[in-house]
Amino acid sequence: MLKIDNLSVHYGGIHALQGIGFEVPDGKIVTLIGANGAGKSTTLKAIIGLVAASSGSVSWNGEDLTGMMTKDIVKKGVVLVPEGRRVFPNLTVDENLSLGAFSRTDKPVVASDRDKVFSLFPRLKERMKQKAGTLSGGEQQMLAVGRALMTRPKLLMMDEPSLGLAPLIVKMIFDIVREINKEGTTVLLIEQNAKAALEVADRGYVLETGRITLTGTGKELLADDRVRSAYLGEAG
Amino acid sequence: MPMELSTFFQQLANAMSLGSLYALIAIGYTMVYGILRLINFAHGDVFMLGAYFAFYAITLLAMPWWIAFAVALGLTAVFGMGLERMAYRPLRDSPKISVMISAIGASFLIQNLGVVIFGGRPKSFPSIPLFDTVVRFGPVSVLSVSLFIPVVTLVSLIVLLYIVNQTKTGLAMRAVSTDLDAARLMAIDVNRTVSITFGIGSFLAALGGIMWTMKYPQLNPLMGVMPGLKCFIAAVIGGIGNIQGAVLGGFILGALEILIVAFLPELTGYRDAFAFVLLIVVLLVKPAGLLGKAQAVKV
């Protein structure tokens, strides 16, 4: 279980996260929704050690992750699919996948995981030797997810996986999120596409200007008037 | 005045060996730039240290030349890694200009420490018969070291390209050079990867430094300044960040310098200026360098 307690992050004088707390229970899909600048990406970056927390703690199965280096957090099975996909454009699809498995030494299992990624995303297999920079946005997102799966995540965090993608691809990505979760991976999902996120989520948290203002199951939040007017574009 | 064929070959041999030396040093600039977007201004001084380490290993410690060279190469590589650790790593998240100033400071520090420790008076490199004999091909005569230099450079380049393109460490280097944070997310040890890059670059600089002092057998603590500048230019001409580009730039610069002096001896005094003129021309015509790709910078 991932447990965030009173987490604060400062960027210079800006107080980006103002002491938030939430939990991601094992085997669940949890989503954090909120507008631009609410602190969603910052939360994920603080969990994985890309930005330093100014106070509070992040613990993973009872172990304190705060202050740990990103590479060590990733080795514990906490993996991030970053915003904007961040595939390595000058490397091939195959090399990108190998980087996902960079810290792993169990070669035969890595090979079978690669096959599994290819069966989830047959397009990636077709483009194995192609540079990632030549892929379409949707294919790059598939690669980013596939690359993360190569790390064998216990907790998969995804930052805006649907951003800028065609509806069909968005649906596919969410289907795969559901499938990954069914196989036992815990998912922490961040989305501006609140409807899609809440539909797959077991639990949701609403983040506003660095604070958590609302929480509930996915269904409860979908039915909540405040959520409907602020994030689902429906008259309240 | 028509040039004799033999003169042409003579100059070609000179150009090849000078170009190879430039290429070796330019690779260090380009690798460090590729991975950290940093111009390591102390690289020329690392080159100088490599030569001095070999010199002292032979003269002071009386080692056979091949052991002395191995020791010097190893020491210089370790020195380069230490330099990164002390002068650059603490500034990893600082503005680029701070790191650049630190690099310039490191360069001056090494030069002046060199003057204090090694003495400002030039030293002459001991003669090693294998590298010191004159080889004649008909009317063309070259120092044997000039024949070794291109071979050593070629072998180094092949090994280096193998490491970068075929090994796991190389994959990590390419990932770090593209996107530092994304590399961290792949559980890559960024510090270790940067260290290795500095180690390799400094090793090659030492290799260049040792061969340089056998070809021009004099050492002084400022000997790295001009080659350092020129090889930086070579790296920029080839497209900084690109290894093949650095090698190409090194050869172009070496060849141009030798051939212009050969064709137009009255310009010999301006020999060092050619590199800078070439730099200006390339920057005007192809700012990303010959093999470099123009990069859109996100503002």
Side-chain angles (χ1 to χ4, degrees):
Chain A
M1 181 167 83
L2 183 79
K3 198 168 182 302
I4 313 293
D5 194 28
N6 198 26
L7 187 69
S8 280
V9 172
H10 286 82
Y11 291 125
I14 301 164
H15 202 169
L17 283 185
Q18 308 177 4
I20 65 165
F22 63 92
E23 286 175 2
V24 184
D26 285 347
K28 301 287 186 204
I29 300 181
V30 170
T31 183
L32 223 52
I33 59 173
N36 257 336
K40 301 182 305 276
S41 292
T42 303
T43 306
L44 295 194
K45 284 183 185 163
I47 293 170
I48 201 121
L50 285 180
V51 301
S54 35
S55 68
S57 75
V58 176
S59 79
W60 169 241
N61 294 336
E63 193 176 357
D64 189 14
L65 297 185
T66 14
M68 215 181 257
M69 281 170 85
T70 302
K71 69 176 171 72
D72 298 319
I73 296 173
V74 174
K75 282 180 192 161
K76 292 190 185 302
V78 177
V79 173
L80 172 66
V81 180
E83 184 178 6
R85 312 183 260 278
R86 304 283 278 269
V87 295
F88 298 96
N90 54 334
L91 303 184
T92 64
V93 168
D94 208 28
E95 285 171 327
N96 269 278
L97 291 176
S98 299
L99 279 166
F102 191 79
S103 62
R104 293 175 59 186
T105 46
D106 47 343
K107 273 193 182 159
V109 195
V110 170
S112 78
D113 283 355
R114 186 185 303 257
D115 291 338
K116 213 173 129 197
V117 168
F118 285 147
S119 71
L120 277 178
F121 305 108
R123 285 291 269 286
L124 294 184
K125 188 168 191 179
E126 290 163 29
R127 300 181 183 237
M128 210 161 84
K129 295 290 164 208
Q130 219 167 301
K131 294 266 162 79
T134 65
L135 302 181
S136 72
E139 289 163 346
Q140 287 188 16
Q141 186 65 59
M142 294 175 200
L143 179 57
V145 174
R147 186 179 66 174
L149 293 179
M150 293 299 291
T151 317
R152 286 235 150 176
K154 296 194 181 82
L155 169 65
L156 183 65
M157 305 196 289
M158 303 174 96
D159 193 347
E160 304 270 8
S162 75
L163 196 71
L165 299 183
L168 215 61
I169 310 278
V170 174
K171 187 180 175 303
M172 178 190 179
I173 295 283
F174 277 100
D175 285 347
I176 280 171
V177 168
R178 226 181 245 127
E179 188 164 334
I180 294 167
N181 176 251
K182 251 183 221 142
E183 289 175 16
T185 306
T186 310
V187 177
L188 174 56
L189 182 67
I190 275 186
E191 263 301 340
Q192 285 196 35
N193 186 345
K195 185 166 183 289
L198 290 171
E199 273 168 1
V200 298
D202 297 302
R203 182 151 207 95
Y205 292 86
V206 178
L207 198 59
E208 274 173 34
T209 55
R211 285 197 182 85
I212 285 176
T213 53
L214 208 60
T215 175
T217 64
K219 281 203 186 77
E220 285 165 4
L221 290 180
L222 273 174
D224 189 283
D225 283 345
R226 285 163 293 179
V227 173
R228 287 163 65 103
S229 68
Y231 301 107
L232 303 178
E234 294 168 25
Chain B
M1 181 188 77
M3 196 169 53
E4 298 278 342
L5 201 60
S6 64
T7 317
F8 175 76
F9 279 116
Q10 179 78 59
Q11 300 301 350
L12 189 69
N14 291 341
M16 284 293 287
S17 63
L18 186 62
S20 306
L21 288 172
Y22 283 165
L24 273 183
I25 309 166
I27 289 172
Y29 277 107
T30 228
M31 285 180 75
V32 165
Y33 181 87
I35 210 154
L36 287 183
R37 303 289 178 272
L38 158 74
I39 309 294
N40 179 14
F41 283 104
H43 193 60
D45 308 299
V46 171
F47 155 92
M48 172 274 289
L49 281 181
Y52 267 99
F53 287 155
F55 171 81
Y56 281 117
I58 293 176
T59 57
L60 217 59
L61 305 176
M63 291 179 180
W65 65 266
W66 49 277
I67 298 183
F69 287 2
V71 167
L73 293 171
L75 273 182
T76 315
V78 170
F79 181 88
M81 289 152 104
L83 171 73
E84 186 271 326
R85 181 110 204 200
M86 289 191 288
Y88 306 142
R89 191 178 300 177
L91 298 170
R92 181 81 48 82
D93 297 317
S94 309
K96 293 273 178 273
I97 192 84
S98 311
V99 195
M100 202 164 95
I101 291 167
S102 183
I104 295 171
S107 168
F108 286 153
L109 180 69
I110 298 169
Q111 285 165 24
N112 288 293
L113 275 180
V115 173
V116 173
I117 296 169
F118 309 140
R121 197 182 295 167
K123 294 187 175 357
S124 56
F125 201 77
S127 157
I128 299 163
L130 175 63
F131 302 111
D132 236 8
T133 34
V134 175
V135 185
R136 291 182 197 286
F137 303 94
V140 180
S141 67
V142 291
L143 214 53
S144 53
V145 70
S146 301
L147 300 176
F148 281 106
I149 289 171
V151 177
V152 170
T153 300
L154 186 69
V155 172
S156 308
L157 181 66
I158 291 170
V159 172
L160 180 66
L161 288 177
Y162 174 80
I163 293 175
V164 170
N165 292 318
Q166 307 291 334
T167 67
K168 209 174 157 180
T169 305
L171 186 61
M173 288 164 80
R174 286 182 288 150
V176 171
S177 72
T178 320
D179 188 336
L180 209 65
D181 275 347
R184 289 193 174 107
L185 291 176
M186 304 294 110
I188 290 171
D189 190 335
V190 170
N191 285 337
R192 182 172 166 270
T193 309
V194 171
S195 254
I196 292 173
T197 309
F198 269 83
I200 294 175
S202 304
F203 179 94
L204 295 176
L207 202 57
I210 292 169
M211 295 197 294
W212 184 283
T213 44
M214 287 195 291
K215 194 168 154 62
Y216 313 102
Q218 226 187 28
L219 295 94
N220 76 73
L222 302 182
M223 64 183 278
V225 175
M226 202 33 103
L229 266 179
K230 284 188 188 163
C231 295
F232 166 54
I233 292 174
V236 173
I237 289 173
I240 195 149
N242 181 317
I243 291 175
Q244 288 94 326
V247 173
L248 179 69
F251 274 101
I252 290 176
L253 206 60
L256 199 79
E257 214 177 296
I258 295 283
L259 295 179
I260 286 188
V261 172
F263 277 111
L264 307 161
E266 63 274 20
L267 292 182
T268 305
Y270 295 101
R271 186 181 169 145
D272 288 340
F274 295 139
F276 298 97
V277 173
L278 184 64
L279 174 68
I280 293 169
V281 172
V282 169
L283 286 183
L284 286 175
V285 179
K286 209 165 181 306
L290 297 175
L291 301 185
K293 285 194 197 84
Q295 268 179 5
V297 176
K298 207 169 148 187
V299 187

